[in-house]
Amino acid sequence: MQITGLLYKGFWSALDWIYPPECAACGEPGYRVCPECLQKIQFTEHTTKSKSDRSFCDNQNCGSVERVFLAEYEGVIRECIHALKYDHNLSLGEFFSPWMGDLVKAMNWVADLVVPVPLSDERVRMRGYNQSELLARPLALQLGVRYLPICVSRIRNTPSQVGLSASERRTNVAGAFRAIPELVKGKRILLVDDVSTTDATLAACSDAVLSAGAGMVYCITLAGFANRNLISSEVKHQV
């Protein structure tokens, strides 16, 4: 696993030499994210860990869910997520995964499987990839944990969440995921997504995994909201 991780990192480093990157936020040449823009990112303090609660999922075992995000969803990190999702800046997944790995370790989470939140087949065809996989694969390699995207699938297409309220988002994704019991039963699952505003997608995915018999679900996203009061004004513009 360690050798594979080094090869993976080396692949992206080689691409940076062949095709010099530009900062995803400001366009500064030579950086995926330049030092000045990195300083503007509001990284999460470990003490702001979001506690499990009954409102997060519908499963009776929803207390077996913990979640956290790496940085506040604003400014530079929002530009990076947009570049990752829509501008085919695929290297950003590998770029941010070390910070996400450090956060997982700081939370004292021990996972058996790393699983990206799946996109619908239609959206994968349109975009060409699932941005959550670009974060989850290098994260799994860094943690030395098995990467297994096939254990959770999205079983129905859902309209875009952009512009929907928190309650509408939960309704939109309710029952949209299915997990394979033979693969997740009794396992500690680390779900990975790019951004969480209202937690609706993570909640629906966690519910599917727990319903299939998982023992514990950890959720990590690249970005989220420390101040939940800001969500209502931001979800309309979420990428």
Side-chain angles (χ1 to χ4, degrees), residues 13-36:
S13 297
L15 280 184
D16 285 348
W17 277 98
I18 299 171
Y19 305 103
E22 295 181 353
C23 176
C26 72
E28 177 74 17
Y31 302 95
R32 297 188 214 173
V33 181
C34 73
E36 183 175 347

Side-chain angles (χ1 to χ4, degrees), residues 64-110:
S64 299
V65 180
E66 295 182 8
R67 60 204 189 278
V68 75
F69 58 87
L70 179 67
E72 186 74 14
Y73 181 59
E74 54 80 46
V76 170
I77 204 72
R78 178 159 43 190
E79 292 297 321
C80 290
I81 289 174
H82 191 280
L84 177 65
K85 293 177 73 168
Y86 301 120
D87 296 338
H88 289 78
N89 195 336
L90 309 187
S91 68
L92 289 174
E94 191 274 333
F95 179 81
F96 282 109
S97 64
W99 280 288
M100 295 178 76
D102 289 343
L103 181 54
V104 169
K105 294 173 184 176
M107 301 296 288
N108 294 316
W109 289 352
V110 179

Side-chain angles (χ1 to χ4, degrees), residues 160-166 168-169 232 234-239:
S160 171
Q161 299 277 68
V162 176
L164 300 181
S165 67
E168 289 171 335
R169 286 177 174 229
S232 60
E234 290 286 345
V235 292
K236 294 180 180 179
H237 308 290
Q238 189 229 326
V239 295

